[in-house]
Amino acid sequence: MSETFVVVGGDAAGMSAASKAKRDDPSLDVVVFERGEWVSYGACGMPYYVEGSVDRLEDLVSVTAEEAIEERGLDLRRWHEVTDVDTDENVLTVRNEDGPFEQSYDQLLLATGAAPTAPPVEGVDLDCVFTLSSLDDADGIREALEADGVTEDVVGASEGEVVGFLEERDPKTVAVVGGGYIGLEMADVLRTRGARVHLFQRSSHVLSAYDEGIAEVVEEHLREEGVELHLDAGVERIEDDGSGDAAAVVAGESRIEVDMVILGTGVRPRTELAEDAGVEIGETGAIATDEYHRTSDPDVYAAGDCAEVRNVVTGEVDYVPLALTANRHGRAVGQTVAGKPTKGGPVARTAITMVVDLEVARTGITDLDEAREYGFDAVSRTISSRSRSGYYPGAAPITVRLVGCRSTGRLLGASVVGTDRAGKRIDTVVAALHENATVANLERYDLAYAPPFSPVWDPVLTGAKVLNGAIEAPDEPDVTLGPES
Amino acid sequence: MSETFVVVGGDAAGMSAASKAKRDDPSLDVVVFERGEWVSYGACGMPYYVEGSVDRLEDLVSVTAEEAIEERGLDLRRWHEVTDVDTDENVLTVRNEDGPFEQSYDQLLLATGAAPTAPPVEGVDLDCVFTLSSLDDADGIREALEADGVTEDVVGASEGEVVGFLEERDPKTVAVVGGGYIGLEMADVLRTRGARVHLFQRSSHVLSAYDEGIAEVVEEHLREEGVELHLDAGVERIEDDGSGDAAAVVAGESRIEVDMVILGTGVRPRTELAEDAGVEIGETGAIATDEYHRTSDPDVYAAGDCAEVRNVVTGEVDYVPLALTANRHGRAVGQTVAGKPTKGGPVARTAITMVVDLEVARTGITDLDEAREYGFDAVSRTISSRSRSGYYPGAAPITVRLVGCRSTGRLLGASVVGTDRAGKRIDTVVAALHENATVANLERYDLAYAPPFSPVWDPVLTGAKVLNGAIEAPDEPDVTLGPES
């Protein structure tokens, strides 16, 4: 009799695991339960659907349900919610429109993802208050935007035309709560769609995963694009218009009348099912796993936004709900279940985003206080350089901040901001972190140079040169070098 | 009495060494002899000066003679040629317009650079046959192009206007001999300037440092841009017009009438002075050095395009005359001379170039035969992916080829071709090579992902995934995965 591998959750981690397991061992019965309609979709693309630069929700789906069933041979069941796990008997309780039924498993993957967290304030459950955690949310926001006359036709028009069109009417005013990636991306796309955008951030800077210098560059850019920034402005309540729709956002002295509120205030791992099953929850609040993504129950795996990961810099557990990790760890579980034990590997907390044309990226441990808590003698340097040779047309400013450990010389993390190919430069540092590189060695990397692509010393190399100077001669004053020095 | 550090050659390696030595030890007397007018210039920018996208030759100079003397405190002497080195007495013979004189040194750096090599055929010394090895060469080519009416005004015009303008006259016809970086860049800029370009390549593909698949993408792109490619076409002679100007290029059956010939047929290290001095020349033909860039004479260093380097993949000596190496190794010599012995570090043969809008880059050992000569059990895989998430506007094809060692799992090299930020993706592989990474580890790097920048699996990760499959299960057929798999 063939073994049964059951997956709970049909997005990145779940579908990667299911597809890989079935491909590597076609004798497996692979069952996927997804409680909603959509499977295997690119959640990171939702802001661009709202913007209109991605036409249809279907475009965000990388594997359709039909492909999963017919081409990949998966027993995919949508609109099926798993409500209970009996880990003694290896049996699930599943509910669909016909009622509950039982499903046994030999091996189980919990890929239940993350849920948006709303701030604990009055009014977050009003109509016209949205989170962005599912394709249906994205659809709802786009519909709400279009309801007031912002039609499809306008989206296809040039930026100038959109602005002109909207000036003739009363454009939507939107409050975005939270200045993280989702908040900034939504602020950007809502501006593109002609909305007036108020961004509320509880702390004194957006992008709390970055240092102040980088955040300030982003803030200036947002203001230039017409986003109203409210910093140090924790939202206290969202007011009702009397009919159940959001009407105003109140934060400190400000009360801003709005037509819509978008909450981008973070996510938490969905662990309810794991908790019910008695599977161990880790100190981060996500499901604890070993390096093979196995939970405290030997037949149960967890991967993706519901599970803990290992940080490549600290070696400790971490919670980093991002798309690549979910795909990679899901795939590793698929290989393991198919008979080849595989580690998905640690993560570096790498993230990248585009704010208008500004590219912002980070990796590793960049907060000096946090680095010190992990026992590193942390030091950082920030340099300004350019994206191309100074004489080459289009050379644009790039700022690189690198963090290292003074006592060991080890590289700990980095952040980058700039236009013109700034963002993906972070990948050089990601590679270095995965190999436990020293700052001194990074300084000597033979990175690609030609005038259209980089100064002779790539900005990352200039950063390494300056940081290594600080590591080797800590008492010397900081010198910021130009790109050709 | 203060020590004297003498540098022969005032470009990247020489000026980096001189500036760093003087900065780190201001008590040093630092003398730089440059036989020409220009110092510290970006040779890699010369094609863009010819093109006109860089206005003035001076723009290519990163440190002027005045800055070198007044701000950096260097004793810089231009139009001074060193003609002899007496390593027993530590004395140089130097010639300037007033005749020869002697200069003693405590430590000496040979930074004499590389010289273009012309093919050994009749006619290479005719007028209107150019190499591109000095700023004066670049100036000569630009002047020759402009002599026939292609004025400055046209260069500033839009591409369409330039083409229209040139169609009214008889545009220059130019033969470019050699399909390496300089040859391709010159073919590109000459097309931009409206010239008819014939590119002659002795072997069957351009870019011999790349495999056939990558070269074919580039060749197709060149043809689309209107460059006439002559492959397997070694130039046999350049014919005279009777007045000493080049008139036609003959290769096999073809005889193409031209107004100008550009030779991009490689360079050789300038070692004459080193040979006279009795300094050891290595097996590559360049000056042999240890890891501190010291030659067989303990008071004599060599760095830049005249010196050997160490290859980071093979650990063996190599000859890789490129700008970053010259800067980095020169700087290391400066540190050493100032009292802190410093290794410039190995190189990976990384190179990148832009052909119209196509970005082409490489690093490491990519030729399977060469890899096997070095004892690696080499295997390669090529994948096709995209520059962004498939649904995100502007996603463009990217091809990645990775090479690894089957017996050790080690990564050996890579090449990349595509538009839209393809090129600098090579830096991820460069970092991995510098850290002796395995392909299996590269596959697990937490590279930056967001829809405008990359598919969830960056093309480099997809390449690693496929190559690692081939390493772990060598008998399975090659499967090329799409970017989301």
Side-chain angles (χ1 to χ4, degrees):
Chain A
M1 211 184 97
S2 65
E3 292 231 321
T4 303
F5 174 40
V6 176
V7 173
V8 184
D11 201 3
M15 291 295 280
S16 294
S19 301
K20 184 64 180 166
K22 187 72 184 176
R23 186 199 296 201
D24 286 7
D25 181 358
S27 80
L28 278 176
D29 282 336
V30 179
V31 183
V32 180
F33 293 117
E34 164 55 44
R35 61 179 189 167
E37 171 183 2
W38 301 97
V39 295
S40 203
Y41 61 90
C44 309
M46 291 191 296
Y48 311 104
Y49 170 76
V50 173
E51 183 178 50
S53 58
V54 173
D55 254 4
R56 305 172 315 144
L57 278 182
E58 289 75 11
D59 295 337
L60 298 181
V61 172
S62 62
V63 183
T64 65
E66 291 66 35
E67 286 164 352
I69 294 166
E70 284 161 27
E71 292 170 25
R72 303 200 174 187
L74 305 181
D75 182 359
L76 168 64
R77 314 212 208 146
R78 294 182 292 164
W79 299 287
H80 280 64
E81 182 166 12
V82 177
T83 57
D84 186 63
V85 184
D86 178 345
T87 53
D88 292 330
E89 300 294 330
N90 283 20
V91 170
L92 306 177
T93 306
V94 188
R95 183 189 305 274
N96 68 3
E97 57 178 355
D98 300 326
F101 66 94
E102 294 196 332
Q103 167 73 47
S104 67
Y105 65 85
D106 294 293
Q107 304 200 77
L108 176 69
L109 170 63
L110 298 176
T112 45
T117 53
V121 301
E122 186 188 320
V124 293
D125 49 357
L126 290 171
D127 286 345
C128 291
V129 177
F130 295 90
T131 56
L132 194 65
S133 73
S134 74
L135 293 195
D136 294 331
D137 293 337
D139 217 25
I141 296 171
R142 184 153 145 180
E143 266 180 25
L145 275 170
E146 286 167 3
D148 204 29
V150 183
T151 66
E152 284 290 332
D153 290 337
V154 176
V155 176
S158 75
E159 207 176 323
E161 288 172 298
V162 172
V163 172
F165 176 90
L166 286 161
E167 276 168 358
E168 291 169 23
R169 1 193 121 209
D170 186 22
K172 294 260 172 215
T173 302
V174 183
V176 174
V177 183
Y181 299 108
I182 291 285
L184 294 187
E185 284 165 11
M186 286 308 298
D188 183 3
V189 306
L190 290 164
R191 276 296 304 152
T192 305
R193 294 216 55 158
R196 288 195 193 118
V197 178
H198 292 266
L199 181 71
F200 292 87
Q201 168 77 340
R202 177 181 300 275
S203 60
S204 56
H205 288 289
V206 300
L207 289 177
S208 54
Y210 292 75
D211 86 315
E212 205 176 287
I214 302 267
E216 281 168 357
V217 175
V218 176
E219 288 161 7
E220 193 185 324
H221 210 72
L222 285 167
R223 288 197 188 97
E224 281 169 8
E225 292 299 316
V227 173
E228 290 273 346
L229 283 187
H230 303 261
L231 302 176
D232 284 318
V235 168
E236 288 152 28
R237 67 176 184 280
I238 302 171
E239 292 181 359
D240 199 331
D241 71 346
S243 74
D245 278 357
V249 167
V250 177
E253 304 289 288
S254 330
R255 179 183 175 281
I256 307 288
E257 297 195 356
V258 298
D259 302 302
M260 189 193 297
V261 179
I262 313 246
L263 301 177
T265 40
V267 297
R268 61 163 185 83
R270 286 189 210 269
T271 56
E272 294 82 350
L273 205 58
E275 288 175 54
D276 286 352
V279 159
E280 187 186 329
I281 305 299
E283 60 190 82
T284 67
I287 304 172
T289 68
D290 68 9
E291 287 187 294
Y292 293 92
H293 317 288
R294 201 182 298 256
T295 68
S296 56
D297 183 297
D299 296 332
V300 181
Y301 297 82
D305 292 0
C306 63
E308 285 189 347
V309 295
R310 196 60 60 167
N311 186 296
V312 75
V313 177
T314 66
E316 304 289 329
V317 293
D318 207 345
Y319 178 60
V320 188
L322 289 172
L324 173 59
T325 309
N327 277 273
R328 195 172 71 232
H329 289 185
R331 188 170 187 270
V333 170
Q335 289 178 284
T336 301
V337 166
K340 183 186 164 201
T342 302
K343 301 176 184 180
V347 307
R349 295 191 193 164
T350 311
I352 188 168
T353 191
M354 180 86 92
V355 181
V356 196
D357 60 342
L358 197 64
E359 307 180 4
V360 194
R362 71 166 316 287
T363 190
I365 305 293
T366 53
D367 182 77
L368 296 184
D369 291 334
E370 188 189 13
R372 284 166 193 148
E373 279 166 26
Y374 281 110
F376 297 113
D377 181 14
V379 54
S380 78
R381 285 293 183 271
T382 301
I383 63 99
S384 296
S385 181
R386 288 185 297 258
S387 60
R388 311 178 181 203
S389 288
Y391 54 77
Y392 195 88
I398 288 186
T399 300
V400 176
R401 177 169 179 268
L402 289 181
V403 181
C405 177
R406 216 181 249 125
S407 55
T408 61
R410 189 172 161 202
L411 182 68
L412 301 177
S415 48
V416 175
V417 63
T419 56
D420 188 36
R421 296 192 181 87
K424 282 290 268 180
R425 282 179 147 95
I426 203 73
D427 284 349
T428 304
V429 180
V430 176
L433 291 180
H434 275 273
E435 303 294 342
N436 297 315
T438 60
V439 179
N441 216 32
L442 172 59
E443 183 186 336
R444 292 191 292 257
Y445 285 178
D446 190 20
L447 300 184
Y449 161 63
F453 298 98
S454 174
V456 176
W457 296 89
D458 185 277
V460 171
L461 298 177
T462 301
K465 199 157 58 170
V466 173
L467 179 58
N468 198 40
I471 288 172
E472 293 187 349
D475 297 331
E476 285 189 15
D478 185 16
V479 178
T480 295
L481 294 177
E484 315 286 354
S485 302
Chain B
M1 212 185 94
S2 66
E3 291 231 322
T4 301
F5 174 40
V6 175
V7 173
V8 185
D11 201 3
M15 290 296 280
S16 294
S19 301
K20 186 65 180 163
K22 187 71 186 178
R23 185 199 297 200
D24 286 6
D25 181 359
S27 78
L28 278 176
D29 282 335
V30 180
V31 183
V32 180
F33 292 116
E34 164 56 45
R35 62 181 189 165
E37 172 185 1
W38 301 98
V39 295
S40 203
Y41 62 90
C44 309
M46 292 192 294
Y48 311 103
Y49 171 77
V50 173
E51 183 179 48
S53 56
V54 173
D55 253 6
R56 306 172 314 146
L57 278 182
E58 289 75 12
D59 295 336
L60 298 180
V61 172
S62 61
V63 182
T64 65
E66 290 67 34
E67 286 164 352
I69 294 166
E70 285 160 27
E71 293 169 24
R72 303 200 173 189
L74 305 181
D75 182 0
L76 168 64
R77 314 214 206 145
R78 294 181 293 164
W79 298 286
H80 279 65
E81 182 166 13
V82 176
T83 57
D84 187 62
V85 183
D86 178 345
T87 53
D88 293 330
E89 301 294 330
N90 283 20
V91 169
L92 307 177
T93 306
V94 188
R95 183 189 306 272
N96 68 3
E97 59 177 356
D98 300 325
F101 66 94
E102 294 196 335
Q103 167 74 49
S104 66
Y105 65 86
D106 294 293
Q107 304 199 78
L108 176 69
L109 170 63
L110 299 175
T112 45
T117 52
V121 301
E122 187 188 318
V124 292
D125 49 358
L126 289 171
D127 286 346
C128 292
V129 177
F130 296 90
T131 57
L132 194 66
S133 71
S134 73
L135 293 194
D136 294 331
D137 293 338
D139 216 27
I141 295 170
R142 185 153 144 178
E143 266 180 26
L145 276 170
E146 286 167 2
D148 205 27
V150 182
T151 66
E152 284 289 332
D153 289 339
V154 176
V155 175
S158 77
E159 206 177 324
E161 287 173 298
V162 172
V163 171
F165 176 91
L166 286 161
E167 275 170 357
E168 291 170 23
R169 359 195 121 209
D170 187 22
K172 295 258 169 213
T173 302
V174 182
V176 174
V177 183
Y181 298 109
I182 290 285
L184 294 188
E185 284 166 9
M186 287 307 298
D188 183 3
V189 306
L190 291 163
R191 277 295 304 153
T192 305
R193 294 216 56 157
R196 288 195 193 118
V197 178
H198 292 265
L199 181 72
F200 292 87
Q201 167 77 339
R202 178 183 298 277
S203 59
S204 55
H205 287 290
V206 300
L207 289 176
S208 54
Y210 292 75
D211 85 315
E212 208 174 286
I214 301 268
E216 281 168 358
V217 175
V218 176
E219 287 160 7
E220 195 185 322
H221 210 73
L222 285 167
R223 287 195 188 99
E224 282 169 7
E225 290 299 315
V227 173
E228 291 272 347
L229 283 186
H230 304 262
L231 301 175
D232 286 318
V235 168
E236 287 152 29
R237 66 177 184 280
I238 302 170
E239 291 181 359
D240 198 331
D241 72 347
S243 74
D245 279 356
V249 167
V250 178
E253 305 287 287
S254 333
R255 180 183 174 280
I256 308 289
E257 297 195 357
V258 297
D259 302 301
M260 190 193 297
V261 180
I262 311 243
L263 301 177
T265 40
V267 297
R268 60 163 185 83
R270 286 190 210 268
T271 56
E272 296 82 350
L273 205 59
E275 288 176 56
D276 285 352
V279 159
E280 187 186 328
I281 305 300
E283 61 191 78
T284 68
I287 304 171
T289 68
D290 67 11
E291 287 187 292
Y292 292 92
H293 316 289
R294 202 182 296 257
T295 68
S296 57
D297 183 298
D299 297 331
V300 181
Y301 297 82
D305 292 359
C306 64
E308 286 188 347
V309 294
R310 194 66 53 170
N311 186 295
V312 75
V313 177
T314 66
E316 304 288 328
V317 292
D318 207 344
Y319 179 60
V320 187
L322 290 173
L324 173 59
T325 309
N327 277 272
R328 196 173 70 232
H329 288 186
R331 187 169 186 271
V333 170
Q335 289 177 284
T336 301
V337 166
K340 183 185 164 203
T342 303
K343 300 175 183 180
V347 305
R349 294 190 193 164
T350 311
I352 189 168
T353 190
M354 181 84 95
V355 181
V356 195
D357 59 343
L358 197 65
E359 307 179 3
V360 195
R362 72 168 313 288
T363 192
I365 305 292
T366 54
D367 183 78
L368 296 184
D369 291 335
E370 188 190 13
R372 285 166 192 147
E373 280 166 25
Y374 281 110
F376 297 112
D377 181 14
V379 53
S380 78
R381 284 294 183 271
T382 301
I383 65 99
S384 296
S385 181
R386 289 185 297 258
S387 59
R388 311 177 181 205
S389 287
Y391 54 78
Y392 195 88
I398 289 187
T399 300
V400 176
R401 177 170 180 267
L402 289 180
V403 181
C405 176
R406 214 180 252 125
S407 55
T408 61
R410 188 171 163 202
L411 181 69
L412 301 177
S415 47
V416 175
V417 64
T419 56
D420 188 34
R421 297 191 179 86
K424 283 290 268 180
R425 284 180 145 95
I426 203 73
D427 284 349
T428 304
V429 180
V430 176
L433 291 179
H434 275 272
E435 303 293 342
N436 297 314
T438 61
V439 179
N441 216 32
L442 172 60
E443 183 186 335
R444 291 191 293 257
Y445 285 177
D446 190 20
L447 300 184
Y449 160 65
F453 299 98
S454 174
V456 176
W457 296 90
D458 186 276
V460 170
L461 297 177
T462 302
K465 198 156 59 170
V466 174
L467 179 58
N468 198 40
I471 288 173
E472 293 186 349
D475 297 332
E476 285 188 16
D478 184 17
V479 178
T480 295
L481 293 179
E484 315 288 350
S485 300

